[in-house]
Amino acid sequence: MTTIQVKDREFSMFLSQAQILEQVDRVALSLSQDLAGKDPIFLCVLNGSFMFASDLLKRVTIPCEISFVKFSSYQGLSSTGKLKELIGLNQSLEGRTVVIVEDLVDTGFTMQQMVQKLQAMNPAEIRICTMLLKPGKLQVPLTIDYCALEIPNEFIVGYGLDYDGFGRNYPNIYQVVEKEKNNSDIEKRKMKNIVLFGAPGSGKGTQSDRLVAKYNYQHISTGDVLRNEIKNGTELGKTAKGYIDNGQLIPDELMVSILANVYDSFGKCEGVIFDGFPRTIPQAEALKIMLSNRGTDVTEMIDLDVPEDELMARLINRGKTSGRADDNEETIKKRLAVYNEQTSPLKIWYQEDGKYNHINGLGDMETIFNDICAVLEK
């Protein structure tokens, strides 16, 4: 069948069974050669990998143990982001070679957290084997040791993959047929995405407000966004609150997911200012991937450069009127030290990406604002 109907959506042929099995043969041969003598244990992730795992392990020619585990699932056409506990694993993994067998890796969030849970069981090594990989959607650093096929960012069903529980039984893989073309991706490409960068006290918030007023940009302040998600009780907000309540840092992938939801909610607009994000190189990489998945990228990174003694003076003065507990000399020194260690290296990262713009943040606000506008209008 060249097309199928699964619930309310139409899907067209993407990969035939013969094409799939040709790649399964290749992966099985690699596994058999690489893991000879290691007595591996294959952890097949349910529900999606059952068909791939069955065909794959029939072709693996070395002694091995096979177990089935369950971790997370899909709902509708996108990942739910709700993570379940790892269940079904009763064997000890200590000192073992573990191979995770998955049907599809896209954002990588689920796989990353699964690896973290398995690492706590002290295996000798963990390898990842996936039937399909969407490199354009990968948002976390993952080493995929074995991959049958890399595919574009299309929603697919068949060969174990489902749409709300249906479609897993088809021997071929089908991709969704879009009935209408959405112009939102085209509009996103026209938008300006501005990273406003600078140490605490450099004036990012003030300049953001002026840019929003002049250019009609949208403004994403990570602190405000996070507080709104928690206040509104969204699923991502509840997850973030759990980390905060336990005194843990919010994982980068969760923060990017929250920002992505806010970004998508803007629809068509002139541009977006990212204020307070990214703070580290991994966050910058995750932001780049998130924007790339939407057909766009960071347009410019604006670095408001202010000498440290001036930053100290500004923040101490702010503390006299703001009532913020963190605006005291000892805390300010710690915040600036963290900035210099973790955030400052982003300058070089954006220089290499051709997006870096230095702005002298010392002087009157009008001059600084005009300098920023000159960059955006060049």
Side-chain angles (χ1 to χ4, degrees):
M1 293 181 288
T2 57
T3 61
I4 58 171
Q5 185 76 25
V6 181
K7 299 186 73 174
D8 61 333
R9 303 304 294 263
E10 183 182 359
F11 293 80
S12 62
M13 175 74 80
F14 181 64
L15 291 168
S16 69
Q17 185 179 32
Q19 290 174 308
I20 296 168
L21 293 180
E22 181 181 355
Q23 300 306 315
V24 173
D25 286 336
R26 176 182 58 79
V27 173
L29 178 61
S30 295
L31 286 164
S32 300
Q33 292 173 341
D34 294 349
L35 303 181
K38 290 181 177 287
D39 188 26
I41 177 170
F42 288 86
L43 300 183
C44 308
V45 183
L46 297 175
N47 294 330
S49 76
F50 78 95
M51 200 173 287
F52 171 51
S54 174
D55 286 337
L56 177 71
L57 294 171
K58 283 185 289 188
R59 291 163 169 78
V60 169
T61 58
I62 58 173
C64 62
E65 186 176 359
I66 302 170
S67 187
F68 295 87
V69 296
K70 193 165 185 177
F71 204 59
S72 66
S73 62
Y74 272 82
Q75 181 176 336
L77 297 181
S78 61
S79 177
T80 64
K82 299 178 181 178
L83 218 50
K84 299 177 182 177
E85 288 299 314
L86 183 64
I87 57 176
L89 181 61
N90 301 314
Q91 301 92 329
S92 170
L93 299 184
E94 189 163 359
R96 300 290 301 274
T97 292
V98 176
V99 182
I100 303 171
V101 180
E102 181 63 288
D103 58 341
L104 171 67
V105 174
D106 51 11
T107 64
F109 294 153
T110 298
M111 181 60 71
Q112 183 186 59
Q113 295 185 53
M114 184 174 186
V115 169
Q116 290 171 351
K117 286 183 177 289
L118 294 176
Q119 284 173 336
M121 302 178 189
N122 300 317
E125 61 176 328
I126 298 174
R127 302 194 184 196
I128 299 173
C129 174
T130 183
M131 171 64 197
L132 302 171
L133 171 66
K134 292 182 178 180
K137 291 196 70 176
L138 195 62
Q139 295 188 32
V140 296
L142 273 181
T143 299
I144 306 299
D145 301 282
Y146 306 94
C147 174
L149 289 159
E150 293 186 1
I151 62 172
N153 298 339
E154 300 292 340
F155 187 80
I156 53 178
V157 299
Y159 199 68
L161 296 126
D162 74 302
Y163 170 37
D164 281 353
F166 290 84
R168 296 188 192 276
N169 56 303
Y170 292 102
N172 309 308
I173 293 178
Y174 298 82
Q175 66 180 355
V176 69
V177 175
E178 296 293 347
K179 295 181 180 179
E180 295 180 0
K181 288 295 180 181
N182 193 328
N183 289 328
S184 62
D185 283 347
I186 297 173
E187 298 299 339
K188 293 289 187 189
R189 293 189 186 99
K190 297 178 182 177
M191 288 168 50
K192 288 188 175 182
N193 300 296
I194 311 301
V195 171
L196 199 55
F197 185 83
S202 60
K204 298 189 299 295
T206 300
Q207 296 298 342
S208 293
D209 290 343
R210 300 191 69 173
L211 291 170
V212 167
K214 178 171 182 175
Y215 295 108
N216 198 30
Y217 288 167
Q218 298 288 348
H219 180 211
I220 296 181
S221 170
T222 50
D224 292 343
V225 166
L226 203 53
R227 284 187 287 271
N228 287 336
E229 291 287 324
I230 294 173
K231 179 181 177 181
N232 295 331
T234 66
E235 290 301 325
L236 290 173
K238 292 176 184 177
T239 304
K241 188 175 186 298
Y243 282 101
I244 294 171
D245 291 346
N246 290 323
Q248 298 173 299
L249 293 175
I250 296 175
D252 290 347
E253 60 268 22
L254 176 59
M255 196 67 234
V256 170
S257 294
I258 292 173
L259 295 181
N261 282 351
V262 176
Y263 185 85
D264 291 341
S265 72
F266 294 148
K268 180 182 177 181
C269 65
E270 297 298 320
V272 176
I273 299 171
F274 291 89
D275 173 6
F277 191 92
R279 295 178 184 268
T280 63
I281 290 175
Q283 288 180 356
E285 292 170 339
L287 176 62
K288 187 176 182 69
I289 292 171
M290 186 273 279
L291 292 174
S292 176
N293 290 339
R294 289 153 177 79
T296 185
D297 196 359
V298 168
T299 311
E300 303 291 347
M301 185 271 237
I302 307 294
D303 176 21
L304 295 176
D305 187 17
V306 179
E308 192 160 316
D309 57 346
E310 173 66 15
L311 294 171
M312 285 288 297
R314 289 183 185 181
L315 292 171
I316 290 173
N317 186 59
R318 186 177 74 180
K320 296 176 181 177
T321 57
S322 69
R324 286 179 51 166
D326 58 347
D327 281 345
N328 61 77
E329 187 170 350
E330 182 180 355
T331 305
I332 291 168
K333 287 181 178 178
K334 291 179 181 178
R335 290 166 63 195
L336 292 178
V338 170
Y339 170 81
N340 289 328
E341 179 182 349
Q342 297 183 5
T343 308
S344 189
L346 278 171
K347 296 179 183 181
I348 297 174
W349 194 88
Y350 276 109
Q351 284 174 355
E352 293 175 347
D353 201 31
K355 307 294 173 62
Y356 178 81
N357 296 274
H358 176 272
I359 298 292
N360 182 4
L362 190 60
D364 67 274
M365 269 191 248
E366 192 65 32
T367 300
I368 296 169
F369 180 66
N370 289 336
D371 289 344
I372 295 173
C373 294
V375 170
L376 300 183
E377 294 172 5
K378 68 181 180 182

